[in-house]
Amino acid sequence: MIKAAVVGGSGYIGGELARLLSRHPKISLEAITSRQLAGRNVSDTHPFLRGYVDLKFSGSINGEGLDVVFLATPHGASMKLVPEIVRSGVKVIDLSGDYRLKDPRTYQEWYGQEHTDLDNLGRAVYGLSELYWDEISKADFVANPGCYPTCSALGLAPLFANHLVEGTIIIDAKSGTSGAGIEPTKATHHPNCGGSVNPYKVGRHRHTPEIAQTLSRLQGHTAEVVFTPHLIPVVRGMLCTMYLKLNDDLTKQELLDMYTEFFRRKRFVRMTDVPWTPAVIGSNHCEVGLEMVGGRNVVVMSTIDNLVKGGAGQAVQNCNAMFGWPEETGLDFPGLGV
Amino acid sequence: MIKAAVVGGSGYIGGELARLLSRHPKISLEAITSRQLAGRNVSDTHPFLRGYVDLKFSGSINGEGLDVVFLATPHGASMKLVPEIVRSGVKVIDLSGDYRLKDPRTYQEWYGQEHTDLDNLGRAVYGLSELYWDEISKADFVANPGCYPTCSALGLAPLFANHLVEGTIIIDAKSGTSGAGIEPTKATHHPNCGGSVNPYKVGRHRHTPEIAQTLSRLQGHTAEVVFTPHLIPVVRGMLCTMYLKLNDDLTKQELLDMYTEFFRRKRFVRMTDVPWTPAVIGSNHCEVGLEMVGGRNVVVMSTIDNLVKGGAGQAVQNCNAMFGWPEETGLDFPGLGV
Amino acid sequence: MIKAAVVGGSGYIGGELARLLSRHPKISLEAITSRQLAGRNVSDTHPFLRGYVDLKFSGSINGEGLDVVFLATPHGASMKLVPEIVRSGVKVIDLSGDYRLKDPRTYQEWYGQEHTDLDNLGRAVYGLSELYWDEISKADFVANPGCYPTCSALGLAPLFANHLVEGTIIIDAKSGTSGAGIEPTKATHHPNCGGSVNPYKVGRHRHTPEIAQTLSRLQGHTAEVVFTPHLIPVVRGMLCTMYLKLNDDLTKQELLDMYTEFFRRKRFVRMTDVPWTPAVIGSNHCEVGLEMVGGRNVVVMSTIDNLVKGGAGQAVQNCNAMFGWPEETGLDFPGLGV
Amino acid sequence: MIKAAVVGGSGYIGGELARLLSRHPKISLEAITSRQLAGRNVSDTHPFLRGYVDLKFSGSINGEGLDVVFLATPHGASMKLVPEIVRSGVKVIDLSGDYRLKDPRTYQEWYGQEHTDLDNLGRAVYGLSELYWDEISKADFVANPGCYPTCSALGLAPLFANHLVEGTIIIDAKSGTSGAGIEPTKATHHPNCGGSVNPYKVGRHRHTPEIAQTLSRLQGHTAEVVFTPHLIPVVRGMLCTMYLKLNDDLTKQELLDMYTEFFRRKRFVRMTDVPWTPAVIGSNHCEVGLEMVGGRNVVVMSTIDNLVKGGAGQAVQNCNAMFGWPEETGLDFPGLGV
């Protein structure tokens, strides 16, 4: 058993990490930190963990004896913590946005602050497991992708890796409200969001450059991404509907074959006719489907649990890579289905 | 056209009052106040009112020329405003809890503060239109009932007025989240309430003594009420399921006949098999149904739109009484149904 | 008062027509037909109408004395009924898909059957009131648009009318489940749709050619439309998120000015920052907003109540045009807002 | 590894059994039957099981080699299948209502048919694990309780076992729609249930006598139960709010102590302040809380996942008892929490 800690465990991603780590056969969860909640029971904040995670929040970790640290801290906070932990030789998986964007100017533009840890930014491996497993396997420091970038990149990767996309890619994303975090806001006030689907941050969501970076890297040149997130009145789950034009004539069957080949050994990606969110809820799975809709127009749909494959589950999957275990270790269970 | 103002118009009840008053054939809405939002467009806060209520919030009313004031202020605030407005000769309908409980000690016990306007407390008429129309017609000052007390009292009134209830009355109420108000809270944070039904303030909700007061007055002696409110993941609407024991042997048909007789000329109460909230949403209607479930046990169900019959609509209905108009004036439209 | 009938009144659109017509100041609702429910109370099927529409379903209309007939019949059924009613001199508003597509070959392709009433197909005026008010005013026979075509065309019309769009237009639509009709199906079974957003009929929804027809007519040449509808877990309301590329450099402000000008005298279209479905629910309003999101990429969002502006309300608005009344007659009320 | 089969696997309970059994460390799922779907992939019906349960539905089981059979068949069907399977020496856990009611006259009264297998009815052990673990451990045939009876009995057992209840017990239950099964119905049509809470089968739900039987057995004399189920607009989860009067003066703390003692070694029952459904969703846990609300009136609240502790999970727990394993075997994971 290796020893792990979660830093910043008071939010949904922290709770989800604890849920998964508490059942992981090779990881012992030693500590969960929260500056505001230090000394209080983790299960007071996350009542579903009672009987599974009977720790108290600690104010901070001391790295002694830890093998891996999961940072569930907000952006800005992570880059203050990472240098010291990395220096101490402990492996780190950062779930914030601080180390995802390779270009610090892009970071500054979208996150509104200067990046203060260029060393580790250069060293960070982007933890989209299905694409970069080998790199992650060799890494000590992984930047865990955002939920939208995970969901959309998995749906689009085969097309971009095969250089088949022409022009702008449109991503219309619908997310459950848990993605907005544990703090009440106007946007997540039930009367505001419980009876409608609400677009937000149109054209200015921070996941936009992250998606563009992944797709650009895949195809070898800059991808133009238009990304619109919406809140839907469900708690968990996310669906991305994506629109693009092929640069060649291909049939639906040819595309499906390409996707099947691309994801051949990827346990967590399933091709399906129409992705259905309940089939992945609670699990690390992603479902992907597509349709040709006239001419060279393709609609790709993908769905994940935003807190699992879109956050804590993928972090565990990355951890599995970093320690040389099979990717499904501790994640080998199906979605709820209904 | 008489002239009306809404004081405290920044919340859901204020917006709903404006929605109804803007279409009322005999009322001209002259002012809406909000101390924090003074000078800003009402339709910035209540966007659905654009084109219907093109006022700016004012900081306060000056009573000149007004015929009626609707107070949508919080409890505690209302009793500071009422004395002066009443003194100026303007009719007042107060939608807060300040003047509903006749006994100031009960007020102090449940609202945690001393009542500072005993004069008007003594004078206030309880505005449950279906029960007290005649009194309301002669009143200058009406205390508009709470949403739960309206919904439950309408379901129970025929039984209590006919002295048929023995022992404790159980009220299990389920409310849409708009009843919790416009300010985001932990309880109305979508991830907390969007996927479950949540009991709250069990045994200590302020509407408990208000319900008991109405039922006690109807039967002529103290009614014992157990009341448990729940938040359900819908925005509008409320259902009360109520349990009681008859003190006599009666058939379901006898009870139905009694209810039908009791509500004979009440436009807004409809007897039905199983009340269905969508049938009353957006309207001032209440649906009531009941079942005998073994022995002398009765289950009564009632449903209203918590913002209309449970708030703004009933206030308008009371206003109609106070000015001698038919009760459905400005309220003569059906629920959305679906 | 003119005399109206609703043919095919057992579904949601029929009930909604009855709801609106029962309150219309210039229309008397004389009959509602349903072959299966003939002789039964309308309010047994539509309980919210009790006290407002106290008719029984009739098996059919006889045109004597009627001034206008609303057909809420399924496609295929409408084109069997229209010839005789039109011949009798009664005005007709057909809410099915039978007369919306001008080219009978397109009808056959998308509806899977031959069109059997080419005479009236040629004569039918497409009833998108904001675009074709003058034509509708002179018409005796109007084809009422579909819900998705209404919502999307209102959001896009100013751009297409000003010949500003280049290439494919992407429409990602999210609809409440009432749009799926009153009959239970697998798609509307709550466990299947209540906790997720589900794409359906991707690339093959019948509203696709209808949208393309409207946009093509506006710009004077063929518009390429990619349209993906989704069911969201709300009952009423619809949001379209639309993606397009401008063929010229324009600022957001220039676009907003153009929209404001285009809809200047259109009571039911409101420009807003981010459209919010609850602001239009229960009303005939449409809210439209837009963003520039990099380069010449535009995201347009629009929202309507699918049963009102997307169906029954627009039919009443068309009726108002046909009889020379102001467009808001009987529709002059705001959305619920919350 | 023992060998298990699920008979009647096309519904939600069948799918949930397969989900749980596929991860059980001591059970190998050998077959799932469905007469209508024989020969088709289980994962076509239950897509979330792809990669976990890669069986085809078989038309029937042949008992050879099986150690246990889970019957997820409808009532009426189970009692036709049980005699032969029991005779063959295979252990059986029946999830239908056929063997829960000890008195065949009660069965006939509530299920509308004669019981045709009195032998096994006499032999069946009622599988409410927290109450009857020892009996279940020795049983070869277990009748798995209904969802409502499980949720309510767990909330009430300590009071009834301690003979503390006077008079009628009121159970107001709220269930997610998955409890209604996989077949679309009017009640589960999203426009009918997605925006409201709907009482159903008031006073005549078949779980009523089952609840009464359990409570009566606990206290040693007949319990009078009034039970009202409601559908709420969530897919999974159930909350029971229960009202009763104590026959003695006890404080809340005394009651809490009694509950804590009663459930001391019961891994799956957690005492909490206010039970919160998301904390148990996806898990076999039950949360119970209570309040004194004046006089001797008590409100008890309990929540479970209706498909897990209310169905498939409890069946697995019973199987664990029957084979002598710890109760949490294969069930040792927390709820989703959010």
Side-chain angles (χ1 to χ4, degrees), chain C:
Chain C
M1 301 284 272
I2 67 159
K3 292 183 174 172
V6 171
V7 172
S10 62
Y12 291 144
I13 288 288
E16 191 75 0
L17 276 166
R19 182 174 81 90
L20 295 171
L21 293 175
S22 75
R23 302 294 89 193
H24 196 290
K26 293 180 171 295
I27 299 179
S28 166
L29 178 57
E30 302 286 314
I32 307 182
T33 81
S34 163
R35 256 181 296 189
Q36 314 96 294
L37 301 172
R40 301 181 57 175
N41 290 322
V42 168
S43 63
D44 290 347
T45 297
H46 304 303
F48 60 103
L49 293 176
R50 189 141 53 104
Y52 295 91
V53 178
D54 291 323
L55 296 167
K56 288 182 194 306
F57 284 113
S58 45
S60 65
I61 52 163
N62 48 28
E64 306 162 355
L66 289 176
D67 299 289
V68 63
V69 169
F70 295 84
L71 292 177
T73 34
H75 69 87
S78 280
M79 65 184 171
K80 291 194 187 111
L81 296 166
V82 161
E84 186 183 332
I85 311 179
V86 165
R87 208 176 305 125
S88 75
V90 178
K91 291 184 202 292
V92 175
I93 298 164
D94 175 37
L95 288 91
S96 85
D98 275 352
Y99 296 89
R100 296 174 188 158
L101 298 174
K102 279 300 169 192
D103 184 336
R105 287 164 306 181
T106 310
Y107 180 82
Q108 178 147 13
E109 181 187 343
W110 288 83
Y111 286 80
Q113 56 188 296
E114 197 176 355
H115 205 293
T116 59
D117 183 23
L118 299 183
D119 271 10
N120 287 305
L121 180 59
R123 186 177 302 145
V125 171
Y126 188 69
L128 191 44
S129 311
E130 277 71 17
L131 301 184
Y132 308 119
W133 180 265
D134 291 345
E135 277 183 71
I136 300 163
S137 301
K138 294 167 199 145
D140 286 330
F141 177 39
V142 166
N144 211 59
C147 49
Y148 291 120
T150 296
C151 190
S152 50
L154 289 176
L156 296 171
L159 294 174
F160 278 82
N162 285 285
H163 310 281
L164 283 168
V165 180
E166 178 178 297
T168 307
I169 171 87
I170 307 287
I171 301 173
D172 188 283
K174 297 92 175 168
S175 173
T177 56
S178 59
I182 204 168
E183 287 304 320
T185 64
K186 199 175 163 190
T188 59
H189 186 44
H190 189 277
N192 288 336
C193 67
S196 57
V197 50
N198 296 341
Y200 69 102
K201 293 188 187 168
V202 180
R204 53 195 175 78
H205 193 287
R206 284 164 176 152
H207 287 174
T208 310
E210 186 182 339
I211 298 169
Q213 174 181 279
T214 302
L215 301 181
S216 301
R217 182 175 166 192
L218 281 168
Q219 72 177 3
H221 60 90
T222 302
E224 189 187 26
V225 170
V226 170
F227 169 61
T228 309
H230 302 71
L231 278 190
I232 50 168
V234 307
V235 176
R236 268 186 193 244
M238 165 178 292
L239 180 90
C240 290
T241 315
M242 297 171 283
Y243 302 89
L244 57 88
K245 205 155 251 181
L246 297 178
N247 59 16
D248 199 359
D249 288 319
L250 285 150
T251 65
K252 179 177 171 186
Q253 192 54 53
E254 287 170 322
L255 293 181
L256 287 176
D257 291 347
M258 177 190 310
Y259 270 73
T260 302
E261 175 59 27
F262 190 91
F263 291 122
R264 185 173 299 284
R265 302 240 177 79
K266 308 301 178 192
R267 173 101 173 98
F268 291 117
V269 182
R270 288 197 298 244
M271 293 304 299
T272 185
D273 198 27
V274 178
W276 191 53
T277 307
V280 303
I281 289 293
S283 84
N284 200 49
H285 288 277
C286 175
E287 285 197 354
V288 177
L290 61 84
E291 286 292 343
M292 299 290 308
V293 294
R296 292 173 168 182
N297 293 301
V298 183
V299 179
V300 184
M301 297 153 284
S302 61
T303 189
I304 60 171
D305 182 318
N306 56 305
L307 294 179
V308 188
K309 184 60 183 169
Q314 181 146 265
V316 170
Q317 192 179 358
N318 283 325
C319 182
N320 290 342
M322 292 162 87
F323 285 90
W325 306 322
E327 66 173 340
E328 69 271 22
T329 313
L331 297 168
D332 196 21
F333 46 81
L336 292 189
V338 73

Side-chain angles (χ1 to χ4, degrees), chain A residues 145-156:
Chain A
C147 49
Y148 291 122
T150 297
C151 190
S152 50
L154 288 177
L156 296 172

